[in-house]
Amino acid sequence: MGNSNIITYVIVFLVVFVPYLFLQFFLENRSSADKNRDLSAVPGFLKLSYGLLGMLAGTLGKTLANMQPKRAKEIKKQLTVAAIPMDPEYVFAAEALFCILGTFVPMLFMMFVSKRLDYSLGTGLLFGVLGLVYPSMTIQSGAQKRQETIMKNLPFAIDLIGSAMRAGLDFSASIRYYVNSESKTNPLAVEFGVMLRQMELGKTRVEALEDVANRVQTDDFKSFAGAVAHGTEIGSSIVDTMRVQGEEMRRARFNRAERKAARAPSIMIMPIALFIMPAIFVVIGTPVLIRIQQSGLGNIMQ
C-alpha cells in the first residue's frame, strides 16, 4: 500500500506540475519579437502560454488554419476588432493545446483519485470541450465588448469633436483634443490615436478614417466615416456633418435600447419557467400536500 501511494503521488505531481513547468520554460524563453510585443490585451491563459503557442503556431496552428480558411478569416477579423496582437494560427494552436491538456490532465487525475473509468472519461470529455471552445469564445467576447464600448462612446466623441471644431480647431486638432481628454483604456480614443499617427505618416483623413472603420467593424462608425468622407469630397462643412452624425448616433443608440427592452419579456420566460415557477409550486403545494397526508393518516388511525 505504501509503494502504491508513493507511485500515485508521483504521477499526480507529474500530471499537475510538469505541464506548468513546461509552459513556464517556454514563457521565459520566448523570442525577442514576442518579448517586445505588447500582450496586455491578450486574455488569460492565452497570455500564460503565449511562448508555447508561438512554437506551435508555425506548424500545428498553420496547418489547422489552412484546413479552415473561412474560419481563419473570421478569427482574424475578431482579433482585429478586439485589438489582440495575435495571428489566427495562435488561436488554432491554443484550441488544440487546451483541448489536449483539458482532456488528458483531468482524466488522468480523476483516474488516480476516483479509480472510476466512467468518471475519468466524463471529466476528460467535459474539460476537453471547454478547452477547445475557450480561445475562440474569449476572443469573440472581447471583440463584442470592445465594439459595444466604442458604440457607447461614439456619440459623445462626435459631440466633443464638433464642439472643438466650432471653437476654432481643425479636424486633426479636435481629434487630438478628444484623445488627450480620454483615458488610455477607452478603445475609441486608442483608435483615434492610431488614426492621428497614420495621418502624420502621410495618410489622408478619409483613408485613416476608413482604416479605423475596418478595424472597428461597426455600422455606426462606418456611417460616421462615410459621412465625413462624403462631406470632404463635396466640400461641405464638417462641423454640420458632425452635428448631424451626433444626432443620428444618439437616435440609433436610443433605438437599440428600445429593442433590448422589447426583448426582455421573452428572455425572462426561461428563467421564470426554470426557477421561479417551481419555487412557487413548492411554496403553494407543500402545505396542501402536508394537510392531505395528515388527513389521510387520521382517517387510517380512526
Side-chain angles (χ1 to χ4, degrees), residues 293-302:
Q293 290 178 347
Q294 290 177 350
S295 176
L297 183 60
N299 294 332
I300 293 174
M301 293 180 63
Q302 290 177 359

Side-chain angles (χ1 to χ4, degrees), residues 115-295:
K115 308 295 184 181
R116 292 284 300 271
L117 180 62
D118 52 350
Y119 289 172
S120 302
L121 292 177
T123 304
L125 179 62
L126 175 62
F127 282 92
V129 172
L130 292 177
L132 179 64
V133 302
Y134 168 77
S136 58
M137 288 185 61
T138 303
I139 292 170
Q140 183 179 4
S141 176
Q144 290 177 352
K145 290 180 180 179
R146 194 167 189 267
Q147 285 180 328
E148 291 175 357
T149 304
I150 289 175
M151 289 189 294
K152 181 180 179 181
N153 293 328
L154 187 57
F156 171 75
I158 292 175
D159 291 339
L160 184 60
I161 294 170
S163 299
M165 293 181 68
R166 285 191 293 270
L169 298 178
D170 61 359
F171 183 77
S172 300
S174 301
I175 295 290
R176 192 178 304 278
Y177 174 75
Y178 172 75
V179 172
N180 294 332
S181 63
E182 291 293 323
S183 64
K184 295 182 179 180
T185 59
N186 185 349
L188 183 58
V190 173
E191 292 294 342
F192 277 141
V194 174
M195 186 189 75
L196 288 174
R197 289 192 291 272
Q198 290 178 342
M199 293 173 65
E200 291 173 355
L201 293 175
K203 282 194 174 184
T204 63
R205 177 193 306 165
V206 175
E207 291 175 345
L209 275 173
E210 289 177 351
D211 288 344
V212 176
N214 292 331
R215 291 193 300 270
V216 173
Q217 293 290 327
T218 61
D219 295 335
D220 290 346
F221 199 95
K222 289 181 179 179
S223 176
F224 166 67
V228 173
H230 180 70
T232 303
E233 291 176 357
I234 65 177
S236 63
S237 174
I238 300 181
V239 177
D240 296 335
T241 302
M242 301 287 284
R243 186 182 67 254
V244 173
Q245 284 297 308
E247 293 175 356
E248 291 183 357
M249 295 299 173
R250 285 190 293 272
R251 190 178 301 111
R253 183 178 175 182
F254 182 75
N255 292 335
R256 285 195 299 268
E258 282 187 334
R259 288 195 296 269
K260 289 182 179 180
R263 290 198 302 266
S266 59
I267 296 176
M268 288 297 297
I269 291 176
M270 188 63 67
I272 290 174
L274 291 178
F275 302 105
I276 298 178
M277 294 301 295
I280 293 176
F281 290 150
V282 170
V283 172
I284 296 177
T286 300
V288 177
L289 181 61
I290 293 175
R291 180 160 298 188
I292 292 174
Q293 290 178 347
Q294 290 177 350
S295 176

